[in-house]
Amino acid sequence: MEKIKVVSLFSGCGGMDLGLEGGFNFLGQKYPKLPFKILYAIDNDFYAVSMYNSNFLHRCELKDVKDIIPYNLPNHHLLIGGFPCQSFSISAQNPPRLGYKDERGKLFFEMINILKVKQPKFFIAENVKGLLSANKKKAFPMIISEFEKAGYHIKYKLLNSSDYGIPQKRERIFIIGFRDIDSYLNFEFPTPTTKSGKKVKLKLVIDKEADKNEKWFFSKRAVDGMMRVREKMNKGREQDLEQQCNTISSHLSKMSLNSTDPVLKINGKFRRFTPREAANIQSFPKNFKLESVSENRQYKAIGNAVPPVMMWHIANSLNLLINSKEKNQKKLYYEKPKQLNLFEFANL
Ligand SMILES: C[S@@+](CC[C@H](N)C(=O)[O-])C[C@H]1O[C@@H](n2cnc3c(N)ncnc32)[C@H](O)[C@@H]1O
């Protein structure tokens, strides 16, 4: 099967890219290889790039997206990118949500510039739910209109990872662009794979060994401080092991109990997730290597990632569309012209 050529921007440690390529296992479930081939990947975070490069056969380049000259990029069918979201996130109260007025909020224009020049058949962008309401709800329509002006028909949907076999309630907006109208009309976002009573529980990805290591527990001082403001500020959010975890983010790298990050309470003591547990919550496979960077950097890159299983389902839907399109085209090409019978001929 011919490979679908991809350029990946803001690749981070590669959650989105791994999901796109497929060929991994998570919780005993196989996510088969998909026919996407990443020709070029970039990110400007040294540590995320280092993690990426210890996990893929192709390389991610350490580079600022603003330094890309679109004409120099290889020709590709699909452009992907989870453009930086800090400025759109509801949790980003300090600094306030600047949305597209913030420099980082403008980075999606780099994606637009590439689309305008290279005109791949499709693109996939991912972002936080807060994008829908940022800038008094003005940012999102503006972003969609810019994508349209670049020549694309746009479909978007807010998807929750917990509906797709992932033990995390993570809502993210996926924006997919199609150059041709048929693809736009025929594409369907993946339908949820897990019903409400059957969602994957957090306890399935928790490491019991970590309960024995003091390293992961918060100090008495941190717990006392948190307890003083807990009710008022909704801190110390202990997770129910029988449910799905609240959204984890790059903020996990702050290792703070005095935050809205999800934490565990084990035998009355608060502990943070290990980086491996964070990766499990994000649906990275067990063999995804984290150790090329410090634990702090692991939390950051993993918290920033698109859950590979979530991305696999989206990529699979796009692949189904491309396959059905190819089949139809072949059918049209090979189908013999219909021979009219005399009656039909007479009635022409
Ligand atoms: C939301 S994360 C993307 C995560 C990635 N899609 C994944 O699934 O692992 C956004 C990424 O954009 C990168 N980034 C931010 N500004 C950038 C810039 N100017 N040039 C290139 N990458 C940038 C960050 O380092 C970060 O890794």
Side-chain angles (χ1 to χ4, degrees), residues 9-17 42-45 48 63-66 81-85 104 107 126 284 301 304-307:
L9 306 177
F10 312 111
S11 314
C13 67
M16 202 173 190
D17 297 19
I42 77 146
D43 197 285
N44 73 344
D45 180 316
K63 186 170 175 163
D64 194 304
V65 74
K66 288 188 240 111
F83 49 88
C85 56
R104 281 174 308 180
L107 283 171
E126 179 261 4
F284 279 87
N304 259 337
V306 176

Side-chain angles (χ1 to χ4, degrees), residues 326-338:
E326 273 176 8
K327 252 191 224 148
N328 285 341
Q329 270 166 0
K330 276 193 194 126
K331 217 169 116 198
L332 275 180
Y333 186 74
Y334 289 117
E335 221 166 60
K336 272 195 187 159
K338 187 176 170 250

Side-chain angles (χ1 to χ4, degrees), residues 155 178 181-189 317 321 324-325 328:
K155 267 190 181 166
F178 308 86
I181 186 84
D182 276 359
S183 301
Y184 162 77
L185 292 173
N186 290 319
F187 176 79
E188 284 175 25
F189 278 97
S317 294
L321 172 91
S324 69
K325 223 172 158 261
N328 285 341

